[in-house]
Amino acid sequence: MASEFDLIARHFTPATLAPGAGVALGVGDDCALLAPRAGQRVAVSVDTSVAEVHFPAAAPAEAIGHRALAVSLSDLAAMGAEARWCLMALAMSDPDEAWLADFARGFHALCAATGTALVGGDVTGGELAIGVTVMGEVPPALALTRRGARVGDRIAVTGALGGGAGGLVLWQRGERDLTHPLLQRYLRPQPRLAAGQALRGLATAAIDISDGLLADLAHVLAASGVGAHLDADALPLAEGLVAALGETAARQAALSGGDDYELVVCLPAEHVSEARRRLAELELALSVIGEVREAPGIGGVEAATARGWQHFVSRGAPGAGSARGRP
């Protein structure tokens, strides 16, 4: 049986790194040596994806590899950062070579598509779980944070919502046509890196939607010391969501379903047109769904829908409103 070092060499050591990758020393030593560009701040985030909590263990290995990196890159997108490097730690009970090859193909393909260099990590025995640390760069004055929302700002979201939750429902029903748009949204989310960078200088606050629109927006409001009013009818719903879930459940999924990995941003009204123009160049919609208010809390939606996924609270709760939980 191959050792973990053999597996790393075979599946997780890039043959070459692109010129300008900023990697002085990559996979194969105790640490990677990285060279950030002058005048940039380094943005760092880590996410752990656990089988049967964040993704179905029976999902295609290529999709699991893609997804594990995508959900971490989404955090860089929310900061307006450019992806540069990542570390990946994989725990698995059975080092199946075919599964590893497919997993690595999905992971490396997204690395290539986003300009992210895999510079180290670990492979170990255990229940299937993937930890991914991502590092990016952002000019200090342009980083998007959760703390800048101001009263009167418009609240907007990129793309469409509810697709992650809708895809989970279809998977639970036995749907395995991976070309279905909802399964694509659930198993192969697309981090909005270019959108985050395009919104630099326009948005006052931002966060990615991983635990549900209402739950994640609440983090922005709390950090900024403001409240919000939403127009539930303005929510952009993912393709096929109403057909799969019905109108009421589709809107619930868009509000609190989670795993969309779109961005929710706050921005002054006078910046909305320019923000839409920039995102249109990326073939991505920006929908205004509400306004920042002074009074705390989120108005305009039913209070019962305002809970997204929470580890140690949501797990095992019937109907817990996230695409995470019980694949």
Side-chain angles (χ1 to χ4, degrees):
M1 180 177 293
S3 71
E4 64 267 31
F5 306 107
D6 295 329
L7 296 177
I8 290 170
R10 190 172 304 135
H11 298 288
F12 302 115
T13 302
T16 59
L17 292 171
V23 181
L25 183 64
V27 176
D29 218 303
D30 288 312
C31 292
L33 298 179
L34 308 177
R37 291 172 292 198
Q40 300 284 309
R41 291 270 174 84
V42 177
V44 182
S45 182
V46 62
D47 269 291
T48 301
S49 297
V50 179
E52 305 303 341
V53 175
H54 300 92
F55 62 89
E62 183 273 339
I64 295 173
H66 170 102
R67 195 179 193 284
L69 177 59
V71 301
S72 285
L73 289 175
S74 185
D75 288 331
L76 294 183
M79 300 289 290
E82 177 185 353
R84 296 297 309 279
W85 311 286
C86 70
L87 304 168
M88 190 275 294
L90 171 64
M92 60 186 310
S93 58
D94 177 19
D96 180 270
E97 288 282 354
W99 189 96
L100 274 168
D102 288 346
F103 173 90
R105 183 169 60 254
F107 194 95
H108 288 310
L110 188 56
C111 280
T114 58
T116 307
L118 177 62
V119 297
D122 186 35
V123 175
T124 187
E127 296 302 314
L128 181 58
I130 310 107
V132 178
T133 298
V134 291
M135 292 159 277
E137 293 178 339
V138 62
L142 295 179
L144 303 178
T145 72
R146 303 177 182 185
R147 296 189 298 274
R150 301 185 295 243
V151 174
D153 280 353
R154 301 302 188 258
I155 301 169
V157 294
T158 61
L161 304 178
L168 173 61
V169 169
L170 290 188
W171 181 272
Q172 291 173 328
R173 290 176 181 173
E175 176 62 66
R176 296 297 183 265
D177 177 5
L178 301 186
T179 66
H180 193 289
L182 294 180
L183 284 183
Q184 282 285 308
R185 293 293 300 265
Y186 174 49
L187 294 175
R188 296 181 55 83
Q190 301 301 314
R192 300 304 189 187
L193 289 160
Q197 294 168 56
L199 291 169
R200 296 191 308 208
L202 299 178
T204 57
I207 192 171
D208 73 316
I209 302 173
S210 56
D211 296 327
L213 169 64
L214 294 177
D216 290 315
L217 176 60
H219 296 314
V220 171
L221 302 178
S224 300
V226 293
H229 187 276
L230 298 185
D231 177 3
D233 292 333
L235 296 174
L237 303 181
E239 179 186 356
L241 188 63
V242 173
L245 304 186
E247 182 75 26
T248 300
R251 294 197 176 277
Q252 174 73 25
L255 285 168
S256 57
D259 271 352
D260 280 319
Y261 301 102
E262 298 290 351
L263 303 181
V264 55
V265 301
C266 302
L267 67 170
E270 60 268 25
H271 289 171
V272 170
S273 179
E274 174 63 13
R276 282 177 166 156
R277 186 193 68 77
R278 293 184 187 182
L279 294 195
E281 293 180 352
L282 304 174
E283 299 183 343
L284 186 63
L286 183 72
S287 302
V288 173
I289 62 168
E291 182 178 331
V292 176
R293 300 281 178 87
E294 184 174 358
I298 301 176
V301 294
E302 293 292 335
T305 68
R307 176 180 143 193
W309 173 260
Q310 299 177 54
H311 284 281
F312 311 115
V313 176
S314 298
R315 180 185 284 186
S322 173
R324 305 177 182 190
R326 305 198 305 194

